[in-house]
Amino acid sequence: MTTEPLSFDEQEELVVMLCTNIETMPEDEFEANYQKLDRDHQFEVDESIRGFADNAVGDENWDQ
């Protein structure tokens, strides 16, 4: 069963949902929603996750 790709607006809404629920959304649900996004929208989520981690660790160079 193939699902229709999400519209741009639907992807924008999903990005907001993912970025605001990083801590609380179950990992499998997060990943399933993340996979619905095109590469550009996945990049937005990735950047948000990176910012979240930077703030959590307290150093933007934590992974270097």
Side-chain angles (χ1 to χ4, degrees), residues 4-57:
E4 290 277 326
L6 298 177
S7 70
F8 182 85
D9 289 340
E10 290 170 323
Q11 290 192 68
E12 288 288 305
E13 290 175 19
L14 192 51
V15 166
V16 170
M17 184 185 71
L18 292 173
C19 292
T20 57
N21 293 298
I22 290 171
E23 289 184 273
T24 59
M25 187 178 293
E27 187 175 343
D28 57 336
E29 182 181 346
F30 185 94
E31 185 61 28
N33 284 315
Y34 180 85
Q35 291 304 320
K36 295 176 185 176
L37 300 171
D38 63 25
R39 187 62 208 135
D40 291 336
H41 285 95
Q42 286 179 347
F43 182 75
E44 287 183 51
V45 174
D46 293 344
E47 287 297 305
S48 181
I49 292 170
R50 181 173 218 47
F52 176 82
D54 290 350
N55 289 327
V57 173

